[in-house]
Amino acid sequence: MPAPRTVLLTGAAGGLGTLMRDLLPDYGYTLRLLDLRPVEGEPDAVVADLADKAAVREAVRGVDAIIHLGGISLEAPFEKILKANIEGTYNLYEAAREEGVPRIVFASSNHAVGYNPRPRGDTPLDPSALIPIDAPRRPDTFYGLSKSFGEDLAQFYWDKHGLESVSVRIGSCFPEPTSVRMLSLWMSPADGARLFHAALTSQEVGHTVVYGSSANTRLWWDLSTARALGYKPQDDSEPYAEKLIAEQGELQDGNEGHAHLGGQFVTDPPIWPY
Ligand code: NAI
Ligand code: 15L
């Protein structure tokens, strides 16, 4: 596929969208922005609900690829998740198919596989102890269920319609890690942009599922499918470890919220810090 130039970024007003609006133009992309809310400083952004099929179809028309970040990013009542994440993602894929957009990078989440046990062992973990990319889907929330659906939708649109996707099971992409768990899952914003760029430009991805994080010393999962796209992570959360562990303590074996990949999302209700 030729290198994409114009990329639709959904969820452009959100935390990750704001970080990517800053970083992705350095890779030569022109971004078209979409969000439910106005995007600060971006009067040309499309303000639309992913539930609005006509608006979504118009927004995808003429773009070379899509980075789909838009939707509810935490646990919420099922009816809300259904509308924004399940129907919204379906509307986007269907519009992309109708308009001939060849590739979507889908922001999946660690919470699609959140009930997998947290790997144990000395740091750094032996590669054989890392959570593999074919670990079973075990969503930890309605939110995680919607990401599992999104991955299936991506596979379906590849198998049936030849629309390519990379589903990125993002760990925690924030300017800095804010919990001990995030030391294992953190994706620095710069590595996030590197990974999205690799997902947009790698040849013949079909539907590829990758974990999305930096090359953290305390890594819990296998980054090999991301690396196979050409992703070369350059950051590590370790400089934040001493301070976070002093403030919060090490993860505890007897604590339910520390037992799984999804952290406190497995508890009911999910509690901060994740
Ligand atoms: P966020 O909540 O800050 O941003 C999401 C954006 O989507 C918001 O600006 C919101 O207005 C917009 N949105 C919500 N419903 C919409 C709808 N119906 N139509 C159009 N826009 C809608 O979330 P964040 O952190 O920026 O995450 C972006 C994406 O990445 C989300 O899909 C999230 O699930 C995923 N993700 C993020 C992680 C992270 O560490 N930031 C980790 C794993 C996944
Ligand atoms: C996610 O999927 C959320 O969107 C994000 O806000 C963080 O909570 C992240 O997972 C995490 O697990 O740290």
Side-chain angles (χ1 to χ4, degrees):
M1 142 165 156
R5 294 183 306 276
T6 304
V7 174
L8 174 67
L9 183 72
T10 73
L16 194 45
T18 300
L19 294 165
M20 292 305 124
R21 280 192 280 127
D22 197 31
L23 293 166
L24 286 174
D26 287 350
Y27 290 84
Y29 300 114
T30 299
L31 298 179
R32 184 182 295 172
L33 310 175
L34 180 145
D35 204 288
L36 194 55
R37 327 176 251 155
V39 185
E40 204 183 322
E42 299 284 355
D44 293 338
V46 179
V47 179
D49 192 329
L50 288 161
D52 181 343
K53 286 186 178 181
V56 172
R57 181 146 182 197
E58 197 178 321
V60 309
R61 191 167 299 140
V63 300
D64 301 310
I66 299 168
I67 300 178
H68 179 39
L69 306 180
I72 295 173
S73 62
L74 296 169
E75 184 58 322
F78 182 72
E79 292 68 23
K80 290 190 171 176
I81 296 275
L82 177 65
K83 206 81 201 149
N85 292 15
I86 296 182
E87 288 182 18
T89 302
Y90 162 74
N91 289 343
L92 186 77
Y93 268 82
E94 192 51 17
R97 182 191 69 75
E98 287 170 333
E99 294 295 332
V101 180
R103 187 174 296 185
I104 297 179
V105 179
F106 168 59
S108 183
S109 170
N110 69 85
H111 298 291
V113 287
Y115 262 111
N116 281 281
R118 164 170 73 87
R120 314 292 167 104
D122 292 336
T123 300
L125 285 174
D126 185 84
S128 64
L130 297 173
I131 299 175
I133 201 66
D134 61 357
R137 295 262 198 85
R138 297 180 67 178
D140 55 26
T141 39
F142 295 132
Y143 165 68
L145 264 174
S146 74
K147 296 300 183 180
S148 185
F149 169 82
E151 291 187 13
D152 278 341
L153 194 73
Q155 183 67 47
F156 171 76
Y157 272 80
W158 166 243
D159 289 333
K160 183 139 280 188
H161 302 297
L163 197 172
E164 292 196 308
S165 289
V166 177
S167 291
V168 184
R169 289 178 183 161
I170 303 170
S172 308
C173 190
F174 300 101
E176 294 184 2
T178 57
S179 71
V180 174
R181 170 178 167 272
M182 282 190 199
L183 294 171
S184 297
L185 299 184
W186 185 56
M187 180 161 72
S188 71
D191 278 343
R194 287 182 190 104
L195 180 50
F196 288 139
H197 176 56
L200 288 170
T201 53
S202 185
Q203 295 296 311
E204 297 181 16
V205 298
H207 174 227
T208 300
V209 183
V210 305
Y211 291 121
S213 72
S214 289
N216 301 314
T217 300
R218 293 161 196 262
L219 199 64
W220 284 346
W221 54 27
D222 178 13
L223 286 178
S224 59
T225 58
R227 290 183 190 276
L229 298 175
Y231 172 54
K232 294 190 178 68
Q234 291 177 24
D235 296 319
D236 184 339
S237 62
E238 206 51 22
Y240 301 96
E242 194 178 327
K243 180 169 177 279
L244 284 169
I245 292 167
E247 286 167 3
Q248 299 175 12
E250 294 276 7
L251 298 178
Q252 299 295 319
D253 275 346
N255 183 328
E256 189 201 0
H258 296 176
H260 303 92
L261 174 64
Q264 306 282 8
F265 275 54
V266 307
T267 59
D268 198 12
I271 47 175
W272 181 263
Y274 307 128

